[in-house]
Amino acid sequence: MLHKRIRLPSLHSRITSAAEAAALVKDGMTLGLSGCGCSGDAKAVPYALIERARHSPLTVSLVTGASIGNGIDGKLAEVGLVSRRKPFQADPALRRAINSGKVMFVDQHLSETAEQMRHGQIDPPDIMVVEAVAITEQGHIVPTSSVGNSGLLVQMAKQVIVEININTSLDWEGLHDIYLPEVRPNRSPMAITRSEDRIGTSAIPLDPDKIVAIVISEYSDAPATILPPDEDTRRIADHLIGFLKDEVDAGRLSNNLAPLQVGVGSIANAVMSGLADSPFEDLIMWSEILQDSTFELMDAGKLKFASATSVILTEALGQRVFSNIGEYSDKIVLRPQDVSNHPEVIRRLGPISINTALEFDLYGNVNSTLIGGTDIMNGIGGSGDFARNTFMSIFVTKSTAKNGAISRVVPMVSHVDHIQQDIDILVTEQGLADLRDLAPRERAKLIIEHCAHPDYREALWAYFDKACAKGGYTPHDLSEALSWHVNLENHGRMLVS
């Protein structure tokens, strides 16, 4: 069996235990781990590192593709193993360590990490641990369910540890398109004009002499925790689908729309699922993460092709899809995230991007990362890569949270991730605001009327009228605008009578 997985005979002597491989990691190193969105992440060696750190203090600077699963991010933080982390995370325990200042978190656009490392602006890994389906006859690495930043991290690392996951199907081989952009300046254009185009190789190329250890792993990817659609998310989907129908009727879109990019999470996934009952056909995706809705739409005959960097699925769907991944070999491709999220390609392909907001304000500025302007939730991820460069930038959210104590539509966001100039459409369960070609004052009226919850509209209208009386291009009364966030911090509600 291992001869099918490790096809370069000279590497068989490097098979070792996870503990022995973990011993190669020294205090103060920069450690790279594969994984993007809780899939394709290295597991055996991180678990061994966690056990080691329980008995002997050890800290590393950690770089990945995005979040890693199986609670590993949190367990690494709990034993004090991580001093610095980038570019994205989604673990509650790690989040607490970041917000308390114990872990220095560098929140980056997902397209930026590899680019900065490629050009010497940030340190490459001393050791990279990558999960693989197999190692080819040339010593090249076939990833599992994600590519993320693994391509560049493997190439730039001083040493590489490979986790061969024997529980993954060999049918993953051939589903990847590994293309690593050249160093700037004078970089060649990426020859991608369709989601289906392939411009790279099926495995990550590297000098096999860099492989210092091979660990046999049987861990599974952590299942995604995606909530099923509820009444509010169905209404968000209905508003958006109705809008897209109108765009088709107006001749601005064809019936197969444009390539779709959908952010991670229950709301965005539910919106995507709503397309199953829409009139649109022959849909394609150019995205970061493929979730349940991707495969549901493929199985329904609605979606014909999807390009991304990672696959994350709930347990039930994952058992079926991952065990039969070969059935989708002509329908999906996984790329490095500095290709999937590259502004050049996004601008050329012109996707419709659908991402989730924590809150947005009257003029269309969106906060997608910080609660109360202070505490990190997950990170900006790739939403900014798409929002600035896409054909149509859409952000969705429910209009309230915490049983109505919080309005997601506020006078001024507590933190700005996406400026108003990058936002085209905002949607809540209340309705949809098409902000294209509107000045700030025009935007505010539409957002209040169509997106705000009825319990907050009167207060928002009163605020807007008062701000307009003071004047300005984007009228604000700063003390009152920020009072909504101060009230929430002090009283647990945004509006206090």
Side-chain angles (χ1 to χ4, degrees), residues 222-272:
T225 53
I226 297 174
L227 299 174
D230 58 22
E231 182 58 32
D232 283 344
T233 56
R234 289 190 187 95
R235 291 175 67 186
I236 291 172
D238 288 345
H239 293 315
L240 185 51
I241 290 169
F243 166 77
L244 294 174
K245 288 178 183 176
D246 291 342
E247 290 295 288
V248 172
D249 291 343
R252 289 186 286 269
L253 287 172
S254 63
N255 202 50
N256 64 348
L257 303 180
L260 299 171
Q261 180 265 326
V262 182
V264 177
S266 300
I267 295 178
N269 187 71
V271 170
M272 187 72 172

Side-chain angles (χ1 to χ4, degrees), residues 10-192:
S10 61
L11 293 178
H12 284 226
S13 62
R14 298 178 203 177
I15 298 173
T16 188
S17 69
E20 289 171 324
L24 297 170
V25 179
K26 307 302 182 185
D27 187 59
M29 277 186 168
T30 296
L31 176 65
L33 294 179
S34 66
C36 181
C38 302
S39 76
D41 44 338
K43 307 170 183 70
V45 174
Y47 279 135
L49 280 170
I50 291 164
E51 187 60 30
R52 175 184 162 194
R54 288 194 175 104
H55 306 287
S56 178
L58 173 71
T59 59
V60 298
S61 175
L62 182 60
V63 56
T64 65
S67 53
I68 50 180
N70 289 289
I72 291 173
D73 252 334
K75 292 169 185 173
L76 290 168
E78 287 172 341
V79 297
L81 218 157
V82 180
S83 62
R84 181 174 293 270
R85 177 75 166 86
K86 57 178 170 281
F88 185 85
Q89 58 77 42
D91 184 275
L94 177 57
R95 186 181 303 132
R96 288 191 294 271
I98 291 168
N99 288 327
S100 69
K102 294 178 181 177
V103 174
M104 296 294 104
F105 177 57
V106 181
D107 185 21
Q108 290 185 307
H109 298 294
L110 292 189
S111 67
E112 277 291 294
T113 308
E115 290 285 34
Q116 290 187 0
M117 188 175 292
R118 181 177 285 116
H119 292 89
Q121 296 170 291
I122 56 178
D123 292 335
D126 295 289
I127 293 181
M128 171 63 180
V129 188
V130 56
E131 184 182 76
V133 170
I135 300 174
T136 70
E137 292 83 354
Q138 296 78 31
H140 299 174
I141 296 171
V142 180
T144 57
S145 53
S146 76
V147 179
N149 279 326
S150 295
L152 187 77
L153 294 178
V154 161
Q155 290 215 326
M156 296 204 68
K158 297 169 186 172
Q159 297 179 315
V160 175
I161 299 171
V162 182
E163 290 189 11
I164 297 292
N165 192 324
I166 60 175
N167 275 345
T168 56
S169 170
L170 284 165
D171 287 340
W172 280 104
E173 189 165 3
L175 270 66
H176 309 93
D177 184 50
I178 310 299
Y179 175 83
L180 302 176
E182 299 158 307
V183 174
R184 297 174 291 203
N186 305 319
R187 173 183 290 174
S188 301
M190 294 187 198
I192 296 174

Side-chain angles (χ1 to χ4, degrees), residues 1-2 5 43 131-134 144-145 163-172 215-221 318-319 321-325:
M1 187 64 172
L2 285 181
R5 301 277 184 171
K43 307 170 183 70
E131 184 182 76
V133 170
T144 57
S145 53
E163 290 189 11
I164 297 292
N165 192 324
I166 60 175
N167 275 345
T168 56
S169 170
L170 284 165
D171 287 340
W172 280 104
V215 176
I216 307 304
S217 169
E218 298 183 58
Y219 292 103
S220 299
D221 281 348
Q319 288 177 351
V321 170
F322 290 149
S323 60
N324 298 284
I325 194 66

Side-chain angles (χ1 to χ4, degrees), residues 354-412:
I354 305 169
N355 290 290
T356 304
L358 286 178
E359 62 181 0
F360 54 81
D361 66 23
L362 298 187
Y363 304 111
N365 299 292
V366 171
N367 171 16
S368 61
T369 61
L370 296 184
I371 297 171
T374 300
D375 286 347
I376 193 75
M377 187 63 181
N378 296 328
I380 196 168
S383 55
D385 295 324
F386 282 88
R388 170 81 37 111
N389 299 290
T390 196
F391 170 74
M392 187 184 295
S393 176
I394 301 169
F395 278 84
V396 300
T397 186
K398 295 184 179 184
S399 64
T400 62
K402 300 293 183 184
N403 296 316
I406 297 173
S407 174
R408 299 292 197 190
V409 184
V410 294
M412 176 183 282

Side-chain angles (χ1 to χ4, degrees), residues 450-470:
H450 291 277
C451 296
H453 192 278
D455 291 349
Y456 285 91
R457 280 184 198 149
E458 183 178 350
L460 288 167
W461 279 121
Y463 171 82
F464 180 60
D465 290 341
K466 182 178 179 181
C468 287
K470 293 185 69 173

Side-chain angles (χ1 to χ4, degrees), residues 197-441:
D197 289 341
R198 290 173 176 265
I199 59 173
T201 59
S202 61
I204 300 170
L206 83 160
D207 179 353
D209 287 341
K210 285 185 20 175
I211 299 175
V212 293
I214 299 172
V215 176
I216 307 304
S217 169
E218 298 183 58
Y219 292 103
S220 299
D221 281 348
T225 53
I226 297 174
L227 299 174
D230 58 22
E231 182 58 32
D232 283 344
T233 56
R234 289 190 187 95
R235 291 175 67 186
I236 291 172
D238 288 345
H239 293 315
L240 185 51
I241 290 169
F243 166 77
L244 294 174
K245 288 178 183 176
D246 291 342
E247 290 295 288
V248 172
D249 291 343
R252 289 186 286 269
L253 287 172
S254 63
N255 202 50
N256 64 348
L257 303 180
L260 299 171
Q261 180 265 326
V262 182
V264 177
S266 300
I267 295 178
N269 187 71
V271 170
M272 187 72 172
S273 294
L275 292 172
D277 297 322
S278 74
F280 311 121
E281 302 284 349
D282 294 329
L283 300 172
I284 57 176
M285 291 186 71
W286 179 273
S287 196
E288 304 164 307
I289 308 291
L290 305 184
Q291 301 177 88
D292 284 26
S293 55
T294 300
F295 294 90
E296 291 166 357
L297 290 173
M298 281 182 178
D299 294 343
K302 286 282 187 178
L303 181 67
K304 67 178 184 179
F305 196 86
S307 170
T309 192
S310 177
V311 180
I312 61 169
L313 302 175
T314 56
E315 186 169 8
L317 189 63
Q319 288 177 351
R320 178 176 66 78
V321 170
F322 290 149
S323 60
N324 298 284
I325 194 66
E327 295 180 6
Y328 297 92
S329 61
D330 61 341
K331 295 182 177 68
I332 67 172
V333 62
L334 298 182
R335 312 177 189 274
Q337 67 194 45
D338 54 334
V339 176
S340 69
N341 289 46
H342 200 288
E344 174 203 341
V345 183
I346 295 169
R347 185 62 65 97
R348 182 183 301 127
L349 297 183
I352 296 170
S353 71
I354 305 169
N355 290 290
T356 304
L358 286 178
E359 62 181 0
F360 54 81
D361 66 23
L362 298 187
Y363 304 111
N365 299 292
V366 171
N367 171 16
S368 61
T369 61
L370 296 184
I371 297 171
T374 300
D375 286 347
I376 193 75
M377 187 63 181
N378 296 328
I380 196 168
S383 55
D385 295 324
F386 282 88
R388 170 81 37 111
N389 299 290
T390 196
F391 170 74
M392 187 184 295
S393 176
I394 301 169
F395 278 84
V396 300
T397 186
K398 295 184 179 184
S399 64
T400 62
K402 300 293 183 184
N403 296 316
I406 297 173
S407 174
R408 299 292 197 190
V409 184
V410 294
M412 176 183 282
V413 288
S414 58
H415 168 81
V416 181
D417 289 296
H418 311 286
I419 59 175
Q420 58 182 286
Q421 290 88 346
D422 292 342
I423 311 303
D424 297 313
I425 311 293
L426 294 172
V427 195
T428 71
E429 81 284 358
Q430 300 298 321
L432 180 146
D434 181 354
L435 307 180
R436 294 173 297 180
D437 200 34
L438 296 184
R441 292 181 187 230

